[in-house]
Amino acid sequence: MLLLYLITSGSAVVIKEVDKLLRGGKHTAILKVSAEVCLSCGERLYSVETVRKFAKIRQQLQREETQEFQARGQSFRVG
């Protein structure tokens, strides 16, 4: 297994599948993506390609272009 180290903390970083929550307008999406995760602080590092995908999905959410997304339950604001 390839281990990298986070420059700011000097801790090991491993590649994991993580859930990423994205918001755009009144909509929210959850994606499962690959990220490099610091074992000490939990900071996540994403590839440039993944960050571009986040931007595209946020724009789609803001424009309510959600036809290709699968609806899952409901979201609620508490407090």
Side-chain angles (χ1 to χ4, degrees), residues 63-75:
R63 295 177 184 157
E64 300 195 11
E65 297 170 354
T66 58
Q67 301 82 4
E68 66 184 63
F69 301 153
Q70 183 180 6
R72 296 278 192 149
Q74 296 179 351
S75 296

Side-chain angles (χ1 to χ4, degrees), residues 8-19:
T8 55
S9 69
S11 297
V13 174
V14 294
I15 297 172
K16 292 184 174 184
E17 288 291 312
V18 298
D19 287 335

